[in-house]
Amino acid sequence: MHMSVERVSYLHEREIDECMNMIKHSFRPDVQGEAHVIRKAVSLVRKGVLHNFRFSQDATAIEVLIADETEEFVTLSLSMTEASCTCDEDDWCAHKIAVVFHLYSQLHSLTEWLHDWQRRETEQMALTVSERTPEAWNDVLYRLAAPLREIGPSDNPNVFIHESSLMDQKVIPLSPFEYEWKPLFELFYRLHLLEAGWSFAHGHLEEANHFTYRQWQVKMWLNEQIEKLRDIGKALGKNPRLFETDAFYTALKKQVREFVLRNKGLFEVRLEIYAIMWEFLYKDTAAQETELAYLLDDDSVDAAFFAAYFNLTKGDEETLAKIAERAGGELVGHWLPLADLAAEMEDPGSLTVIMNTIYPHIGDFFGRISFSTDRYHFIRKIDGLLEEAHFPESRREELFMIYGEDGVSAFGDFLIERERFAEWAALMHRFNIPYDGLEPDTLKFVLANDPASVMPLLHTYAMRFIQEKNRHSYRRAVRLFKSMKAGAKKSGKADFWNRYIDTVREQYRRLRALSEEMEKGNLNL
């Protein structure tokens, strides 16, 4: 029979308290599997998926239906000492515990109980951190960041970001008391946070079919972590090091290397993280040479690109060329951040090496870009890099042929800069670019310098406006005729212009509104 949950909680408060005490001491928050069971049970209660509370036939137990991703049926004795669940898991599963939690929450705060239970983990972590060794720090921070690893790619980023913010609070009491040690501990923590959240970030930012608000949230989270890394790196790089921290910096080098080489996707982000570490923390030549040797000996695909980073920062163009030859240019997305760095360093020699390496593969890479805005920015970026690398204009034009309509804007600017106005007008014709798609300043510039070259294009636009057959479009057509009139006057073709405008007027004499607008425009020379 059905009954009130509040009534059961009131009548069996002592048994529920004893059961909660048993759960508290049976499940350790510092054991990942056990902590997961408790978190899942709490989640079931908060989602409100427990239904149909009723007594068993002999009135010695309560029966509950839990309808989440799957439906499970739990039977819990009123003594709270025995329970069964259709999930067939041994001992106390998340479904059984969820029933106890739901009963407990009728008279008490489940959140307060959970915080009290988790405090044991914090106390144990604080004790471990006090050992002051890299191994102890890594052990604690790995456990602290564990919940981020359990968040799947289908979960809402709000859950991910909330969990991350909770960790930011939990890590505060673990931080060393001494000021000199705090930034180093923070650095270790941020790397663990990035490691734990990498799979989620990669799934949302590199494997998504389209960019949404969810992707933006994850991108902002990732940017925030990198900015914090950079701030910590700058602070540590300015301050003298304690002798006791040598072991931590040694361990950190290996951790960063493992992080950037063993994780997949988002190469530009990994390179940025790696560059932060080596720019601020490991400036001595000996450490860099040792690291470079590690990278050259590593057989992973990405190792060569991090080795290229070192040779680029040292200005070693010859060795960079050898690495580029070995790595090849198929991974255009890996080379582009390095090309940006070479341009920023004003190193045209290294930039030329990189652009020559990727040039044959740019077309294939461009074909795999999904978003139109990304294609636009890619075209602009590549052409800018080729220009800074002093590539011949003919090679730059070859790529514009590959880009097709996506490259019209950039190719148009390329032609205007070289005063190839007739070719610019032909380009607009070829891809049927609408009049409103033209930059007004560009059109004025062409009319001022070579009006004859743009006359056929303006005629096409004027005819399109006339075909729309409304007074507003007729006025737009007349404005174009005025521009053409000024161009004809400048180029000394008054007779041609008069014949042209008279022909247009005669052709459309039946369009009274157009005739009126043309008369107002005083279009003859």
Side-chain angles (χ1 to χ4, degrees):
M1 65 178 178
H2 293 278
M3 47 70 183
S4 166
V5 179
E6 294 85 352
R7 181 70 175 166
V8 174
S9 300
Y10 174 74
L11 293 175
H12 299 276
E13 183 176 4
R14 181 177 60 83
E15 290 86 351
I16 294 171
D17 287 343
E18 290 177 355
C19 188
M20 291 291 289
N21 197 45
M22 178 274 295
I23 293 171
K24 178 178 180 179
H25 291 92
S26 299
F27 289 83
R28 295 174 54 191
D30 56 332
V31 177
Q32 185 174 347
E34 296 177 5
H36 174 70
V37 172
I38 297 297
R39 282 196 297 270
K40 182 178 179 181
V42 173
S43 175
L44 291 173
V45 174
R46 289 175 174 168
K47 286 194 291 185
V49 296
L50 282 73
H51 308 288
N52 300 335
F53 277 77
R54 66 184 182 184
F55 284 114
S56 61
Q57 289 184 350
D58 58 4
T60 61
I62 55 176
E63 299 173 343
V64 185
L65 174 66
I66 299 179
D68 191 27
E69 296 175 356
T70 60
E71 289 192 352
E72 306 295 348
F73 195 72
V74 175
T75 302
L76 176 67
S77 68
L78 293 175
S79 64
M80 307 293 162
T81 57
E82 296 180 0
S84 63
C85 179
T86 54
C87 72
D88 294 329
E89 290 187 20
D90 296 333
D91 300 325
W92 283 81
C93 65
H95 306 103
K96 300 174 188 177
I97 296 174
V99 175
V100 179
F101 281 176
H102 186 67
L103 293 170
Y104 179 82
S105 67
Q106 304 306 310
L107 300 176
H108 305 280
S109 170
L110 182 59
T111 300
E112 289 183 7
W113 181 92
L114 187 63
H115 287 169
D116 183 59
W117 176 76
Q118 291 174 331
R119 193 177 300 120
R120 296 170 55 210
E121 179 184 23
T122 304
E123 292 170 354
Q124 181 61 42
M125 286 182 175
L127 186 62
T128 305
V129 166
S130 65
E131 295 178 19
R132 206 60 67 84
T133 64
E135 294 76 17
W137 283 13
N138 284 327
D139 176 60
V140 166
L141 294 173
Y142 182 87
R143 282 187 282 148
L144 180 67
L148 279 189
R149 298 184 182 88
E150 299 173 10
I151 299 177
S154 61
D155 290 324
N156 194 306
N158 288 324
V159 177
F160 177 84
I161 293 170
H162 176 68
E163 196 68 52
S164 175
S165 65
L166 288 179
M167 290 173 193
D168 286 347
Q169 296 300 315
K170 290 179 181 179
V171 79
I172 293 174
L174 302 178
S175 182
F177 178 76
E178 298 88 348
Y179 174 78
E180 296 83 357
W181 288 87
K182 283 183 180 294
L184 187 58
F185 183 80
E186 173 78 4
L187 187 62
F188 270 76
Y189 167 64
R190 292 296 161 191
L191 286 173
H192 275 275
L193 204 61
L194 283 164
E195 175 73 44
W198 191 261
S199 177
F200 186 86
H202 172 242
H204 274 74
L205 297 179
E206 199 158 90
E207 297 178 358
N209 294 323
H210 57 284
F211 197 82
T212 65
Y213 176 68
R214 288 189 170 196
Q215 278 70 47
W216 178 85
Q217 285 180 292
V218 178
K219 180 65 175 176
M220 290 302 100
W221 177 85
L222 201 56
N223 289 344
E224 181 185 0
Q225 304 311 313
I226 292 174
E227 284 306 310
K228 288 180 178 178
L229 271 185
R230 180 175 285 106
D231 291 342
I232 299 165
K234 287 180 180 178
L236 288 172
K238 293 177 182 177
N239 299 329
R241 295 182 184 178
L242 300 174
F243 172 75
E244 295 90 335
T245 62
D246 287 349
F248 290 86
Y249 282 102
T250 301
L252 196 60
K253 273 192 291 189
K254 182 179 179 181
Q255 285 177 228
V256 173
R257 186 191 316 128
E258 291 294 313
F259 173 80
V260 299
L261 293 182
R262 306 311 165 208
N263 283 303
K264 302 299 180 184
L266 303 175
F267 175 78
E268 185 172 359
V269 177
R270 285 185 285 143
L271 179 63
E272 191 171 4
I273 293 169
Y274 192 75
I276 288 171
M277 296 296 109
W278 283 93
E279 180 182 354
F280 297 116
L281 302 182
Y282 306 104
K283 299 179 181 180
D284 56 298
T285 305
Q288 294 182 3
E289 292 294 338
T290 303
E291 181 72 7
L292 184 58
Y294 273 118
L295 293 171
L296 293 174
D297 196 44
D298 194 288
D299 57 359
S300 67
V301 175
D302 294 344
F305 295 94
F306 290 102
Y309 160 77
F310 274 108
N311 288 290
L312 182 59
T313 55
K314 294 191 298 182
D316 190 347
E317 185 180 325
E318 183 178 348
T319 307
L320 177 64
K322 292 179 181 177
I323 293 175
E325 183 179 0
R326 187 182 76 176
E330 291 85 354
L331 297 177
V332 176
H334 282 48
W335 281 113
L336 284 181
L338 295 168
D340 288 336
L341 179 59
E344 184 181 334
M345 296 171 57
E346 299 182 355
D347 184 353
S350 296
L351 181 58
T352 301
V353 169
I354 295 172
M355 299 310 293
N356 272 321
T357 302
I358 67 173
Y359 185 88
H361 308 281
I362 289 175
D364 291 338
F365 184 83
F366 174 78
R368 295 193 295 271
I369 300 176
S370 303
F371 307 137
S372 58
T373 52
D374 290 345
R375 291 196 294 269
Y376 172 83
H377 291 302
F378 175 81
I379 292 169
R380 292 284 184 179
K381 174 192 278 285
I382 289 294
D383 191 56
L385 291 172
L386 291 174
E387 184 176 17
E388 291 195 45
H390 307 303
F391 264 55
E393 293 183 358
S394 58
R395 298 190 73 187
R396 292 168 63 186
E397 286 193 57
E398 288 175 14
L399 289 181
F400 287 123
M401 299 302 105
I402 294 174
Y403 299 146
E405 187 172 355
D406 291 302
V408 168
S409 176
F411 192 25
D413 291 346
F414 176 88
L415 294 173
I416 292 296
E417 288 173 7
R418 285 147 190 81
E419 299 187 354
R420 293 160 58 177
F421 303 120
E423 293 176 67
W424 175 83
L427 181 69
M428 300 301 111
H429 265 299
R430 177 186 174 187
F431 289 100
N432 199 24
I433 303 302
Y435 176 75
D436 292 329
L438 300 180
E439 289 288 344
D441 291 342
T442 299
L443 188 56
K444 288 179 182 177
F445 183 74
V446 175
L447 282 168
N449 288 275
D450 188 3
S453 66
V454 80
M455 285 290 190
L457 179 63
L458 295 184
H459 167 76
T460 300
Y461 290 140
M463 295 303 104
R464 288 178 186 173
F465 287 141
I466 292 174
Q467 293 304 318
E468 293 176 8
K469 294 185 178 179
N470 62 75
R471 190 173 289 273
H472 173 70
S473 296
Y474 295 156
R475 288 170 180 165
R476 298 189 74 184
V478 169
R479 281 197 290 272
L480 284 179
F481 288 143
K482 287 183 177 180
S483 297
M484 295 167 70
K485 173 185 173 182
K489 182 177 181 180
K490 182 175 181 179
S491 50
K493 297 182 178 181
D495 292 340
F496 164 78
W497 171 252
N498 287 330
R499 288 195 304 272
Y500 167 79
I501 201 64
D502 289 342
T503 302
V504 172
R505 187 180 287 111
E506 176 64 23
Q507 182 179 355
Y508 295 104
R509 68 180 184 280
R510 294 185 179 181
L511 299 178
R512 182 177 57 80
L514 174 62
S515 299
E516 291 175 358
E517 295 299 329
M518 292 182 72
E519 287 301 321
K520 292 178 186 176
N522 189 25
L523 298 176
N524 286 87
L525 285 172

